[in-house]
Amino acid sequence: MTVIHVPVADPRVRPLLRELGHEYSTRYGKDAHAEIARYPDEEFTPPHGGLLLLLLERGEPVAGGAFRRYDATTAELKRIWTHSAHRRRGLARRVIAELEREASARGYRRIRLTTGPRQPEARGLYLATGYTPLFDTAADPETIGPLPFEKHLPERCEKHLPERCEKHLPDRCGKPRPEGKATTS
């Protein structure tokens, strides 16, 4: 599996947006193109505080996602997607982990996101990956509208490279793990 950073205009992004648009239209009964085109492509580029990434398997996109600058310390996740033929393999979790790592490396301290009320898989994914719901989880999602979540990212460690810290320190700035307790990714 290869992770690449690409602009929205990259032709490998088209399957993501096409399938995502079809899924939104099927679930919500309206044309999803306006929602997908809601933000200018530039918002998902590093100069504007954003990023779009794809997971490739044998050169083909199987999952992806993006973030955009929400404010000076907050990134907003958008368009988390796994190709329908590749679901239930943990790829969305990997996309989220990669996006969180990239957001943290760019100095963001918090991530926010919203998902639609008719996307229980997404709701479950965000809860399972440590996102805090900013809504009453006991309420009927249809009465809420977009479901907001947030997650606070650990402080960046200025003493170590992010890759080293992630493998050797529990929270990137905490104490080193005892010998033999390092994790692998």
Side-chain angles (χ1 to χ4, degrees):
M1 196 75 56
T2 305
V3 177
I4 61 169
H5 302 173
V6 296
V8 175
D10 187 295
R12 293 170 291 189
V13 176
R14 285 189 204 126
L16 179 157
L17 297 179
R18 186 173 37 253
E19 191 172 34
L20 190 61
H22 175 73
E23 193 153 326
Y24 285 174
S25 296
T26 301
R27 290 184 189 219
Y28 297 100
K30 59 183 176 180
D31 183 14
H33 295 290
E35 172 57 27
I36 289 175
R38 179 186 218 179
Y39 302 102
D41 293 355
E42 299 79 40
E43 289 194 26
F44 300 103
T45 63
H48 294 274
L51 177 79
L52 189 146
L53 65 80
L54 295 175
L55 295 184
L56 302 179
E57 187 172 72
R58 293 183 207 75
E60 295 298 317
V62 294
F67 65 78
R68 61 185 283 276
R69 182 181 194 271
Y70 184 77
D71 64 33
T73 61
T74 308
E76 181 180 27
L77 295 189
K78 303 299 287 180
R79 316 296 180 246
I80 307 301
W81 162 87
T82 301
H83 188 286
S84 58
H86 297 278
R87 293 188 177 154
R88 310 296 303 162
R89 294 176 48 199
L91 299 176
R93 283 179 184 253
R94 177 140 183 222
V95 167
I96 289 172
E98 293 286 343
L99 291 170
E100 288 174 358
R101 185 174 9 269
E102 290 292 338
S104 179
R106 286 164 171 72
Y108 291 115
R109 302 283 41 95
R110 182 173 77 109
I111 294 181
R112 74 172 311 273
L113 62 90
T114 58
T115 192
R118 296 180 189 168
Q119 295 170 258
E121 308 91 338
R123 177 182 169 162
L125 172 68
Y126 302 133
L127 290 170
T129 54
Y131 283 79
T132 301
L134 303 176
F135 60 93
D136 180 359
T137 58
D140 175 3
E142 291 287 335
T143 66
I144 299 169
L147 307 176
F149 291 84
E150 75 173 1
K151 184 175 190 178
H152 292 273
L153 299 173
E155 290 293 320
R156 264 182 35 204
C157 180
E158 300 301 330
K159 295 178 183 176
H160 301 97
L161 297 173
E163 298 83 22
R164 175 177 147 81
C165 289
E166 190 162 285
K167 290 181 180 176
H168 300 287
L169 300 177
D171 64 1
R172 296 191 183 185
C173 287
K175 295 178 182 174
R177 290 191 174 116
E179 285 299 313
K181 299 289 184 183
T183 62
T184 59
S185 53

